[in-house]
Amino acid sequence: MAKLTAESIVPGQRFEQRHGFTWRVARLIHFPGEDVMHVQLVNERDTSSTKTVSINAVLDRSLFRLIEK
């Protein structure tokens, strides 16, 4: 598996959070004045549950891991 980088994060990818929740990347967000990109994640079990985190959080293996298809 290739190393996950900020440039390789795309909508539709699925990540498992260490607490067992599965999240899907809905979109990438660039906030004005911020250097770091963010991602909007949607909970796969409850699509009304969303969170926005920095792309660095998604890349942190202690917080999230990519679910291979």
Side-chain angles (χ1 to χ4, degrees):
M1 176 172 80
K3 181 176 166 124
L4 192 62
T5 65
E7 293 77 23
S8 64
I9 303 292
V10 295
Q13 285 177 313
R14 298 170 62 230
F15 289 86
E16 182 177 51
Q17 193 173 14
R18 71 173 188 197
H19 301 297
F21 294 106
T22 301
W23 299 89
R24 181 178 33 82
V25 175
R27 65 187 179 121
L28 302 173
I29 304 168
H30 181 259
F31 291 113
E34 293 282 329
D35 292 336
V36 177
M37 291 290 291
H38 288 70
V39 294
Q40 181 181 36
L41 301 172
V42 176
N43 187 317
E44 290 213 320
R45 286 191 175 177
D46 177 5
T47 57
S48 68
S49 175
T50 64
K51 65 168 66 184
T52 301
V53 299
S54 77
I55 207 157
N56 293 334
V58 173
L59 295 173
D60 185 339
R61 298 264 312 158
S62 69
L63 299 174
F64 294 94
R65 78 170 178 85
L66 179 64
I67 299 174
E68 296 293 329
K69 289 189 175 187

